[in-house]
Amino acid sequence: MSEHRLTSIELDAASLPASSAEIEHERRVAIFDIVEKNAFQPAGAEGGPYALKMSSQDGRLVFDIAGPGFNKAHGLSMSPLNKVIKDYIDICDSYYEVLRGTDVGKIEAVDMGRRGLHNEGAELLKSRLEGKIDIDHETARRLFTLVTALYRR
């Protein structure tokens, strides 16, 4: 496993939107999934592993990264991500609603849309981090899941 990886993620609860127990569980699962397997290389870092603290400041999602001989924070405007996050949350809600039914075709169609939006959000997040943090597609997907859970109400 590469040394350029995250070994911990901490959320600054005071600066992020409040969450229900269900959303808090989603956040913990997303963090576990990211830490379990990721590729994460901050620009200018010689080697990890890294600890990430995420917070919100002035409408920006802040990635505060610490590793051996490395400590840097990056602010990320959420404006470009807002629409895809909202659409993803909406389709996830639809997906859970459709799962209660028995129409397999509808379940598959909504699931395809959900996966498509997830990939779109991951690629957008990856491009927004370009030049700051290098992540692979799977890490981008997991990180998008966490970002969505951070802004879900």
Side-chain angles (χ1 to χ4, degrees):
M1 187 177 285
S2 169
E3 64 183 50
H4 289 288
R5 69 186 188 291
L6 289 171
T7 55
S8 69
I9 300 174
E10 177 186 344
L11 304 178
D12 179 18
S15 70
L16 293 166
S19 64
S20 65
E22 178 184 342
I23 301 300
E24 196 59 41
H25 175 74
E26 284 183 30
R27 291 175 179 183
R28 283 192 306 272
V29 169
I31 289 169
F32 176 84
D33 288 346
I34 295 168
V35 171
E36 187 73 15
K37 184 175 182 195
N38 67 81
F40 189 93
Q41 184 171 357
E46 292 185 26
Y50 309 100
L52 173 64
K53 181 175 182 178
M54 298 175 78
S55 62
S56 180
Q57 297 174 10
D58 301 321
R60 300 172 76 79
L61 183 60
V62 177
F63 292 73
D64 190 358
I65 307 160
F70 184 85
N71 194 343
K72 190 162 189 173
H74 295 289
L76 185 68
S77 172
M78 292 305 295
S79 296
L81 290 165
N82 284 341
K83 181 170 178 10
V84 73
I85 288 172
K86 181 192 178 309
D87 291 347
Y88 182 69
I89 289 170
D90 289 346
I91 202 163
C92 283
D93 291 344
S94 294
Y95 178 70
Y96 298 128
E97 189 66 34
V98 168
L99 282 177
R100 295 185 189 133
T102 57
D103 185 349
V104 175
K106 191 168 185 178
I107 292 170
E108 290 174 352
V110 172
D111 187 46
M112 282 180 55
R114 183 182 61 85
R115 284 183 280 146
L117 275 171
H118 197 179
N119 285 334
E120 179 183 337
E123 286 305 314
L124 181 57
L125 182 59
K126 185 176 179 181
S127 72
R128 300 281 301 137
L129 291 171
E130 193 171 323
K132 299 172 185 168
I133 305 166
D134 186 29
I135 55 177
D136 65 5
H137 179 72
E138 289 305 313
T139 302
R141 282 180 55 83
R142 292 180 185 104
L143 195 54
F144 179 73
T145 299
L146 177 59
V147 169
T148 300
L150 293 177
Y151 289 92
R152 191 164 185 180
R153 307 225 187 270

